[in-house]
Amino acid sequence: MEPMKLPGPKAQAIIERDHAVISPSYVRGYPFVMDHGQGCDVWDVDGNHFLDLAAGIAVTSTGHSHPQVVRAIQQQAEKFLHISSDYYHSGWVELGEKFNEIAPYAEQAVSFMTNSGTESVEAAIKLARYHTGASQFIGFLGGFHGRTLGSLSFTASKPVYREGFYPLMNGVVHAPFPNPYRPILETKPGEDYGEVVVRYIEEEILGKLLAAEDVAGVLVEPIQGEGGYIVPPPGFFPALRRLCDRHKILLIADEVQSGMGRTGKWWAIQHFGVEPDIICVGKGVASGIPMGAIIARQSVVTWPPGSHGNTYGGNPLACAAALATIQLIQEGYMQNAAEVGEFAMDILAEIQVRHPNIGEVRGAGLMIGVDFIKNHSTKEPYPQFRDRVVDLAFERGLLTLGCGKSTIRVSLPLSITRQEIERGLQIFEQAITVAERETEGVLEYVA
Ligand SMILES: Cc1ncc(COP(=O)(O)O)c(C=O)c1O
């Protein structure tokens, strides 16, 4: 496929106006200027067509502008747009009931609605402090939980997120995330690396730094997102749950990216057979309408009226979009994510065989990471190659997004078909091939 010359003239003009009035703190990897979208297809303002493999950072779970979601928003918009969280409305209650139905808890689930992922994390931090009376937390290196000052205190995937913003919230200690591909703690033969990390928390963090009774919660992504789409080993979450139970610490699963059916189950933590105490929700929950939530075990939600709230919590448009989204996920898209996710992993495994720059393909359902390396024996990340693949894919009509040091995230809409995946991954492989030609001889292959 011939590469497009991008940006086109209309896109270029909008980008120039953007630079004058929009904060430069946003990262724009490449110059895509959206005009409209439908399902997995998007068009820019110059009429160029792209296949969206990134789903707006894992947000457009039902694809772009799914007719059922659009209709639900339109119908609600005609009734009322806002009433505030001082009052009641049926859509909000219905969404709470839905969350209770899909929550991974044996006991009743109670929800607090937010407007974004970071606000969900802030709510989880406050609830954990309130409920336990403790103030300290454990987070993980490589984690991403948002950019407001509380959530930023946990975010540890890149220094740029923190640089210039100190002091952050006091009381967060970071443990290594159990990355089985690049472990940093020593593992004895036959040991589960996830259990090794939990032992480190017990012996080094709780043994030397924090009294367990001062710890309110452990905040963790069941599959690390921004940090590189890293799937922990099977022993990690059961061991972490046991540690939390031993010390009466709350286990908070940040499912903002991994939740809402993306991995083929409602919540990624369900792949590990563990019940958390609080779940943070965001991104894919309302197909793109700003919305988030925490869903907690009822016995944890002990805060009284006035202790936490927000103006837009349970916004009627967001609730309508979320209810339509959940219905679509329930009626087929979650099953689709599991099935076509395996299909995509199989194709990517074949691509990996043909392209030694791919060190690992990993993930669950439609949360897949492709990790590019420079050296097979050291697994040295190769960010320049990854960035080039992203650009070459864009010029060939494919939207992708990086994560971690040298990974591309394949976070497809849950509605994607096998044909669309085949088409997208064909372009993806072409981009890799061109990047290989450009960098010939750089890879140090040590079998
Ligand atoms: C796991 C996780 N938590 C929290 C957030 C923050 O969400 P938001 O950008 O909506 O504040 C993100 C965003 O990427 C995320 O991936």
Side-chain angles (χ1 to χ4, degrees):
M1 176 191 279
E2 276 306 299
M4 295 180 264
K5 288 211 176 355
L6 298 168
K10 287 186 185 158
Q12 182 60 38
I14 290 173
I15 289 167
E16 279 163 23
R17 284 167 50 208
D18 173 289
H19 287 170
V21 291
I22 303 296
S23 162
S25 59
Y26 291 107
V27 177
R28 271 72 171 269
Y30 44 83
F32 175 68
V33 181
M34 177 95 170
D35 183 71
H36 66 282
Q38 193 64 58
C40 302
D41 295 300
V42 290
W43 286 263
D44 76 2
V45 285
D46 293 290
N48 297 309
H49 170 252
F50 301 80
L51 196 65
D52 185 6
L53 289 206
I57 329 186
V59 169
T60 54
S61 46
T62 57
H64 289 277
S65 295
H66 191 289
Q68 269 172 251
V69 178
V70 171
R71 204 172 322 119
I73 296 168
Q74 283 168 340
Q75 282 170 355
Q76 178 56 49
E78 281 167 18
K79 288 170 76 183
F80 63 102
L81 294 174
H82 175 77
I83 183 59
S84 103
S85 56
D86 289 349
Y87 304 97
Y88 301 90
H89 70 87
S90 67
W92 188 357
V93 177
E94 211 183 308
L95 184 57
E97 288 166 349
K98 263 290 164 203
F99 281 156
N100 178 42
E101 187 187 318
I102 65 175
Y105 305 137
E107 68 176 269
Q108 174 93 358
V110 172
S111 298
F112 175 91
M113 309 307 179
T114 72
N115 305 285
S116 65
T118 197
E119 198 194 334
S120 301
V121 173
E122 298 291 337
I125 295 168
K126 285 182 70 179
L127 179 60
R129 275 192 173 169
Y130 192 91
H131 177 70
T132 61
S135 61
Q136 305 292 301
F137 288 90
I138 296 170
F140 289 87
L141 293 171
F144 187 89
H145 302 280
R147 295 170 161 101
T148 48
L149 284 173
S151 67
L152 182 59
S153 310
F154 290 88
T155 290
S157 52
K158 281 185 204 146
V160 68
Y161 296 134
R162 298 168 154 244
E163 203 183 344
F165 300 118
Y166 292 101
L168 305 180
M169 184 186 92
N170 204 351
V172 182
V173 172
H174 289 83
F177 189 78
N179 178 349
Y181 185 57
R182 294 191 180 91
I184 60 172
L185 298 175
E186 205 174 308
T187 312
K188 296 190 194 95
E191 258 186 324
D192 181 293
Y193 184 54
E195 292 177 3
V196 172
V197 168
V198 175
R199 201 172 60 232
Y200 172 91
I201 295 172
E202 182 84 62
E203 291 175 3
E204 303 299 318
I205 296 183
L206 298 182
K208 294 178 180 161
L209 204 55
L210 296 176
E213 59 269 26
D214 288 340
V215 181
V218 174
L219 175 65
V220 59
E221 292 163 90
I223 295 179
Q224 219 172 48
E226 163 78 11
Y229 275 33
I230 298 164
V231 185
F236 176 60
F237 274 104
L240 190 61
R241 181 71 265 182
R242 288 194 294 275
L243 175 133
C244 288
D245 289 344
R246 250 190 332 271
H247 299 295
K248 297 192 170 43
I249 296 172
L250 295 177
L251 179 56
I252 307 165
D254 183 344
E255 296 264 11
V256 166
Q257 190 154 174
S258 57
M260 295 310 299
R262 169 149 299 283
T263 66
K265 294 186 188 286
W266 279 112
W267 315 106
I269 200 163
Q270 292 176 303
H271 290 280
F272 303 100
V274 159
E275 277 189 28
D277 299 299
I278 304 174
I279 290 175
C280 302
V281 185
K283 287 194 184 289
V285 63
S287 295
I289 297 296
M291 166 109 209
I294 55 169
I295 307 173
R297 294 174 191 263
Q298 188 172 38
S299 54
V300 171
V301 192
T302 46
W303 52 17
S307 55
H308 197 47
N310 49 14
T311 300
Y312 292 120
N315 171 267
L317 280 190
C319 288
L323 285 166
T325 301
I326 291 171
Q327 190 181 353
L328 286 163
I329 294 174
Q330 212 156 25
E331 285 175 356
Y333 287 164
M334 187 159 76
Q335 183 64 26
N336 188 56
E339 286 169 15
V340 302
E342 267 184 40
F343 178 72
M345 285 283 265
D346 288 347
I347 299 181
L348 284 164
E350 286 168 22
I351 293 177
Q352 182 183 13
V353 172
R354 295 190 284 271
H355 300 278
N357 278 106
I358 298 177
E360 190 178 50
V361 176
R362 54 183 175 246
L366 289 174
M367 186 170 185
I368 303 173
V370 181
D371 194 327
F372 292 93
I373 51 166
K374 204 170 193 173
N375 177 308
H376 263 267
S377 68
T378 63
K379 300 173 187 166
E380 182 186 338
Y382 198 175
Q384 301 87 346
F385 189 89
R386 184 271 314 271
D387 293 348
R388 190 66 191 131
V389 172
V390 169
D391 287 345
L392 290 163
F394 173 58
E395 289 165 11
R396 285 158 181 77
L398 198 66
L399 302 188
T400 61
L401 256 183
C403 62
K405 267 199 177 146
S406 60
T407 300
I408 288 181
R409 57 182 119 189
V410 180
S411 56
L412 308 160
L414 311 190
S415 53
I416 198 160
T417 63
R418 283 168 194 256
Q419 290 81 352
E420 285 167 328
I421 287 178
E422 272 174 343
R423 185 154 55 89
L425 294 183
Q426 229 170 23
I427 303 174
F428 187 59
E429 185 167 15
Q430 281 168 15
I432 295 171
T433 306
V434 176
E436 274 169 358
R437 268 191 232 122
E438 288 178 359
T439 54
E440 222 160 4
V442 174
L443 181 81
E444 297 161 42
Y445 195 93
V446 186

